[in-house]
Amino acid sequence: MFSIRSLLQAWKEIRPYFIFSVILFFAGMVIGGTPNEQLAGFFENQLKGIQSISNSISTSSNPEMTAFKHITLNNVYITIMAMGLGIIAGIMPAFMLVSNGMVMGYLLSGFSAAGENVFLLIVKGLLPHGILELSAVFLGCAYGMRYGITLIKGIFGSAFGKENAWEPFVRTAIGSVPALIAVVVLLLLGAVVESTITYWLMKP
């Protein structure tokens, strides 16, 4: 399971889903960055939740530690949930990627409209931790989508008498164990960076 050969094989199988996860997220960013009054209510509700979290962190006696705990628990919970619930036809991870991408696109569009330097904001406020966290999210969602697809293939393959119809699903389940470890480690590292380096860079 943890041999180099098995890990490379697992990556080969999950790579198309990983790439698709990246595409879904950035497609969501494009949608979110495009003015759309019909989605304004959705975005505002999301921003209220983000603002509430930001306020609780900034008013804490130890903002860095509060940020680390909240970011870690939230990211790990959501990513693992998307990974597991992807078994339902891969819908949950796909929705999570698009919706989060939309919120990100909407935020960046808003900062740009307000005259902010979006490039600097991305470099200072997103890239330091985003590379780690997004890699974990893409990997988790990729496994979630593959779970759903291989489950459907297994069901229909069995129904039509196909031999070894469940092999892809079993391989996905086995490969998800080291992937889950990688997801948690990446999210932990991302939370450390976000609650320290990013917090310091974005401090007024």
Side-chain angles (χ1 to χ4, degrees), residues 173-188:
I174 294 172
S176 68
V177 176
L180 181 59
I181 295 173
V183 163
V184 172
V185 170
L186 286 170
L187 290 176
L188 283 171

Side-chain angles (χ1 to χ4, degrees), residues 18-115:
F18 186 93
I19 294 172
F20 187 56
S21 296
V22 176
I23 293 172
L24 285 177
F25 180 81
F26 284 101
M29 284 188 67
V30 172
I31 296 170
T34 304
N36 190 328
E37 292 183 3
Q38 295 178 337
L39 294 173
F42 167 77
F43 292 134
E44 290 304 321
N45 286 333
Q46 295 297 311
L47 292 181
K48 285 179 183 177
I50 295 172
Q51 186 61 49
S52 175
I53 294 168
S54 177
N55 290 340
S56 66
I57 291 173
S58 61
T59 57
S60 169
S61 58
N62 190 337
E64 291 87 349
M65 182 56 68
T66 302
F68 173 75
K69 289 179 180 177
H70 180 84
I71 293 166
T72 302
L73 291 174
N74 184 66
N75 287 346
V76 170
Y77 171 74
I78 291 176
T79 304
I80 291 177
M81 185 171 67
M83 195 174 182
L85 292 181
I87 202 168
I88 307 172
I91 295 172
M92 173 65 179
F95 174 78
M96 173 185 163
L97 288 164
V98 174
S99 61
N100 279 276
M102 288 168 61
V103 172
M104 182 66 69
Y106 180 76
L107 278 170
L108 293 178
S109 176
F111 284 124
S112 177

